[in-house]
Amino acid sequence: MKKSKSPSESLNIQTELIMPGHTNPLGNLMGGNLLSWMDVASGISALKHSGHISVTASVDNVSFKMPIKVGDVVIIKSFVSRAFNTSMEVVCEVFIQNMDTGTETLSHQAFLTFVALDKLGNRVTVPEIVPVTDAEKHLFDGALRRRELRLVLAGKMKPVDAISLKGIFS
Ligand SMILES: CC(C)(COP(=O)(O)OP(=O)(O)OC[C@H]1O[C@@H](n2cnc3c(N)ncnc32)[C@H](O)[C@@H]1OP(=O)(O)O)[C@@H](O)C(=O)NCCC(=O)NCCS
């Protein structure tokens, strides 16, 4: 296993066609179905990066700003933006594809955190992420603040220890 990897090595892209069984009576995709696809897609990115089955530790805020309608084609793209010790932040973006023009509209985005486990369920150290593009570097830098915020909110870190977060306010 390599000691460091780029975000693109964990890129996972999957496509879903929204069927009537996925929607509410108005023909809008149910949020839980989208979350389930995002969770699986992101878990595959974490598996690609770590080489291990990875469990969802947290899902950051997801806003359902735009309805996805029956008959729409959605593309779910995910990759690891930063790895810590045994955990990884995965960026998951959902696009609605216009089948006439081929254009993709970003409809949802979320950050998910996965923890890599071995076959016995013990946590394992994961390779570092080395960002390459400016966008990847931007996500990599912000990941430290997002990690502190989610750990503080989960009661796993004292606010006083959230060094990167303090930097925003001071
Ligand atoms: C996620 C899990 C492995 C963390 O184990 P834990 O013993 O609570 O671990 P720790 O507090 O020592 O943290 C271990 C790692 O998880 C991270 N972590 C723990 N809770 C987290 C949270 N709420 N959000 C983000 N990361 C979290 C820690 O930052 C740490 O990462 P690091 O090794 O990179 O520093 C454990 O809580 C678990 O198995 N949860 C259930 C996972 C699952 O079944 N998911 C599917 C839901 S149905």
Side-chain angles (χ1 to χ4, degrees):
M1 175 70 63
K2 285 198 275 182
K3 281 198 177 143
S4 63
K5 289 180 163 185
S6 67
S8 61
E9 288 178 82
S10 60
L11 179 65
N12 181 50
I13 302 177
Q14 68 190 56
T15 307
E16 301 286 347
L17 172 64
I18 309 306
M19 302 294 279
H22 299 135
T23 66
N24 66 18
L26 295 174
N28 295 343
L29 175 64
M30 303 278 283
N33 285 323
L34 183 63
L35 287 175
S36 170
W37 292 331
M38 292 170 80
D39 186 35
V40 173
S42 302
I44 291 170
S45 286
L47 169 62
K48 280 186 172 184
H49 179 75
S50 66
H52 292 272
I53 290 295
S54 302
V55 291
T56 318
S58 67
V59 181
D60 292 3
N61 172 57
V62 189
S63 303
F64 297 97
K65 287 180 241 167
M66 194 182 289
I68 299 177
K69 307 293 290 183
V70 66
D72 279 348
V73 171
V74 295
I75 300 171
I76 301 161
K77 297 182 186 174
S78 57
F79 58 89
V80 176
S81 50
R82 187 157 178 165
F84 296 97
N85 180 25
T86 64
S87 67
M88 297 153 275
E89 181 189 81
V90 178
V91 182
C92 185
E93 297 173 325
V94 179
F95 299 85
I96 303 173
Q97 185 169 42
N98 182 318
M99 295 309 283
D100 294 327
T101 62
T103 53
E104 295 176 6
T105 305
L106 180 67
S107 61
H108 304 77
Q109 186 189 35
F111 295 99
L112 297 87
T113 302
F114 285 82
V115 174
L117 303 180
D118 67 15
K119 289 197 168 72
L120 298 175
N122 300 312
R123 292 192 284 118
V124 286
T125 306
V126 299
E128 285 176 14
I129 280 284
V130 178
V132 178
T133 65
D134 286 346
E136 289 169 359
K137 286 175 188 166
H138 181 69
L139 283 166
F140 181 90
D141 291 342
L144 204 53
R145 289 193 299 277
R146 290 188 294 275
R147 168 186 160 92
E148 288 184 352
L149 184 59
R150 61 179 76 96
L151 290 179
V152 168
L153 291 175
K156 297 229 161 185
M157 179 183 275
K158 291 183 189 149
V160 71
D161 295 327
I163 308 294
S164 300
L165 276 182
K166 266 191 239 162
I168 300 175
F169 301 107
S170 57

